[in-house]
Amino acid sequence: MQRTSADGVTVLWQAVPTPGPLTAVLSFGTGLRDETAPTLGVTRLVEALVMTQLGRRPHEFTSTVEEEATHFAVKGTPMEVTGFLHAVCSALRDLPTQYMEHATRLLGIQAPRTCDHRGAEPLNARYGPHALGLVAYHDPDMYARLTPDAVRAHAAALFTRGNAVLALDGPPPAGLTLPLPDGPRPDRTAPRTRAGVPGTWQHRLVDTVSLLLTSRAHEPAAVAACHVLSHRVEHIAHDTLGFTDGVTLHRFLRDRLTLDRVLAVHPADGHAEQAAEILWHEALDLARQGPTRHELDTFTAHARTGPDDGQVLWNALRRAVEAEHFGIPYHDAGTLAANYATVTPHDVSAYLERALTDAVLVVPAQVFPQLKAPHGKRLPNSDCWRPYGQHAPTPGIRFRMHRFRRAITPRHEHGEYVLTEWGLVVRDAHRDEHDIRFDDIALMHQDGPGRVVLTGCGCHLHVHPGQVARGERLIALLDAAVPAHLVRTDA
């Protein structure tokens, strides 16, 4: 891997250029994980404004916003490449926010150009509506709620020369300039894990079953474990029983030392519980006994085969760009293959023994798999609603449903709120409870007289004054508890 710099931006390329047009990717180490609930969509809006400024061109170009990075890619003659890259940098220096109405309108009708994956819900279960947990959310109206100042501030902080890397499949062309604004690489700390979630299973409003496993950034045993586990589950649930599609694998950088890996499967209706039990039990079996020699040989053969030459080049460049963004070591394809070949059954077993104690399994609602943790006890459920009978009723000021409303409302729809010193408790007709901690609210939307609260667990809870007696007082107390920058009001 060759390295130089242009205008203070790191430039990477392979020593042997590929034939044909030059391809370049200007990558910024910022993506969805760098947003917050109030600024959700801001990275993609920056990208859209830049692309709007570029207009139509006679060569190929595109852009993508991912969880950890944003890419602007171009393919053409050296002159076309340099012109495109200069135009991107110029647009970022002086973001064309006069096009925001046009850009937000287009973003509202387009599918998001982000990674298509099924790993969103386990990430949201682990982190809530923060950092990688934000991947679970997409609201077409979110772009219109962003202000020009917020978009410019995001671009100025993260689309900078210190946070940029240029990758090419040939030497840098003559006349290359990258006039980006100054700014350092941001300090990427690990997102906060929600208490009580690792080592559990959880319900989510999904139609997939997924398992999140954590590993070190470079851990060959984790790669082998996920490969073997996905093949086992696919053989049982797809090839033999025929009630799922194939297993998909997804990987997300939590920080420079740690990866979150997600295995996901989409079962046919009525088979989610069976799919969850197969996925979990096969993982437990691998942790206890390890893979067979044949399974490991199949894995190393797969790792050696790899994609075609062009894809090998871009896979290497992508790993190098990721290493630059996150400050992790770069391993070429030969080093990776050699490391994979050294993995033993004991390595896989030891990795899964550790990973399963910290895992998160997500299943659809109304699915109740019977699972055991690695230590043999029942795998706990970490749903955010606390069932009645498993907790003492939370003390506080009760806001009960109006007497007349109780008389005309079916009993199963009765509910109340309990105000405490630390937050608000929602209690349903079955006396199950859900906490809204004031210091954990990620966003509150003013929906007419009511409020929609995005809680720390990732749930949207509706609080309406008409539901309970003294409802206006309840809303006033909620408004006073939530900081103004977390309140969203639609125009």
Side-chain angles (χ1 to χ4, degrees):
M1 189 67 60
Q2 303 296 303
R3 172 192 294 266
T4 187
S5 65
D7 292 327
V9 176
T10 299
V11 179
L12 306 172
W13 81 97
Q14 289 281 24
V16 180
T18 59
L22 179 66
T23 301
V25 178
L26 180 59
S27 176
F28 295 88
T30 182
L32 301 180
R33 63 170 290 151
D34 297 304
E35 299 175 354
T36 63
T39 65
L40 192 62
V42 66
T43 309
R44 192 160 177 241
L45 186 49
V46 170
E47 170 237 10
L49 288 171
V50 171
M51 296 298 280
T52 300
Q53 176 84 331
L54 295 175
R56 295 187 179 274
R57 291 173 177 254
H59 53 82
E60 296 180 41
F61 67 98
T62 188
S63 58
T64 308
V65 176
E66 299 178 350
E67 293 77 24
E68 301 100 351
T70 300
H71 312 289
F72 296 92
V74 57
K75 185 175 184 178
T77 67
M79 183 176 294
E80 289 171 335
V81 168
T82 57
F84 172 84
L85 295 174
H86 188 278
V88 169
C89 296
S90 297
L92 287 168
R93 282 189 70 93
D94 186 15
L95 202 64
T97 52
Q98 67 270 25
Y99 298 134
M100 277 189 60
E101 183 178 354
H102 173 75
T104 55
R105 186 165 57 248
L106 291 179
L107 290 173
I109 61 176
Q110 295 172 353
R113 288 194 299 274
T114 57
C115 286
D116 180 18
H117 59 80
R118 297 174 181 171
E121 290 300 333
L123 292 170
N124 188 248
R126 181 183 282 272
Y127 303 116
H130 308 283
L132 288 172
L134 289 170
V135 178
Y137 302 103
H138 178 74
D139 175 6
D141 295 328
M142 63 189 178
Y143 307 107
R145 302 182 186 116
L146 295 166
T147 65
D149 286 345
V151 179
R152 281 192 291 265
H154 187 77
L158 294 166
F159 286 84
T160 63
R161 69 183 69 214
N163 201 27
V165 179
L166 176 63
L168 306 106
D169 62 358
L176 174 66
T177 59
L178 302 170
L180 288 166
D182 288 326
R185 178 191 300 169
D187 180 24
R188 295 181 178 86
T189 57
R192 183 185 63 182
T193 298
R194 291 179 53 222
V197 171
T200 66
W201 68 275
Q202 189 173 127
H203 286 116
R204 289 274 161 163
L205 297 177
V206 293
D207 58 1
T208 57
V209 172
S210 50
L211 176 65
L212 186 153
L213 301 169
T214 298
S215 73
R216 292 186 288 274
H218 284 297
E219 189 168 7
V223 182
C226 290
H227 181 274
V228 173
L229 178 57
S230 66
H231 276 255
R232 283 193 180 188
V233 173
E234 197 165 294
H235 174 69
I236 297 171
H238 176 74
D239 300 342
T240 304
L241 300 178
F243 64 79
T244 71
D245 59 3
V247 178
T248 58
L249 293 171
H250 316 278
R251 99 192 243 292
F252 308 90
L253 272 166
R254 183 197 295 190
D255 55 50
R256 62 182 300 271
L257 300 175
T258 316
L259 284 171
D260 287 326
R261 302 178 184 274
V262 177
L263 294 85
V265 63
H266 182 254
D269 290 346
H271 291 276
E273 182 176 301
Q274 190 177 6
E277 291 174 350
I278 290 172
L279 178 56
W280 184 258
H281 290 159
E282 289 303 315
L284 273 182
D285 184 70
L286 271 177
R288 290 165 179 161
Q289 302 187 42
T292 66
R293 187 68 256 174
H294 174 71
E295 286 175 320
L296 278 185
D297 289 343
T298 301
F299 162 68
T300 54
H302 171 80
R304 284 195 304 268
T305 303
D308 58 45
D309 291 341
Q311 193 61 43
V312 167
L313 167 64
W314 280 106
N315 283 347
L317 285 169
R318 188 178 183 91
R319 288 195 302 273
V321 168
E322 183 181 78
E324 287 292 325
H325 284 325
F326 281 84
I328 59 179
Y330 166 70
H331 290 177
D332 60 27
T335 301
L336 290 175
N339 289 341
Y340 296 151
T342 65
V343 176
T344 67
H346 174 74
D347 294 335
V348 172
S349 176
Y351 161 69
L352 281 172
E353 282 182 0
R354 184 184 79 242
L356 287 177
T357 62
D358 190 47
V360 180
L361 179 72
V362 168
V363 301
Q366 305 305 316
V367 171
F368 295 89
Q370 301 301 309
L371 308 171
K372 289 190 176 181
H375 50 63
K377 294 183 179 179
R378 186 172 182 178
L379 186 70
N381 171 259
S382 59
D383 285 350
C384 37
W385 281 89
R386 298 190 303 276
Y388 177 66
Q390 297 182 16
H391 67 91
T394 303
I397 302 172
R398 297 173 65 187
F399 290 81
R400 304 183 65 192
M401 185 179 288
H402 293 285
R403 182 177 301 177
F404 175 74
R405 190 178 182 88
R406 286 203 308 271
I408 63 173
T409 302
R411 181 174 293 275
H412 68 274
E413 295 180 10
H414 288 193
E416 63 185 21
Y417 301 104
V418 180
L419 184 68
T420 73
E421 293 181 354
W422 48 262
L424 189 66
V425 176
V426 183
R427 184 178 292 157
D428 68 11
H430 305 289
R431 304 189 72 182
D432 298 344
E433 294 186 349
H434 190 301
D435 295 341
I436 304 177
R437 298 194 66 91
F438 291 146
D439 61 1
D440 212 19
I441 290 175
L443 188 67
M444 186 171 74
H445 175 209
Q446 294 183 355
D447 183 22
R451 303 292 183 266
V452 182
V453 180
L454 178 57
T455 66
C457 62
C459 292
H460 285 91
L461 294 180
H462 295 241
V463 181
H464 197 281
Q467 295 173 335
V468 293
R470 299 174 295 151
E472 291 76 12
R473 181 189 174 199
L474 176 65
I475 295 298
L477 292 169
L478 186 58
D479 286 345
V482 180
H485 72 278
L486 298 180
V487 178
R488 188 181 71 201
T489 304
D490 291 344

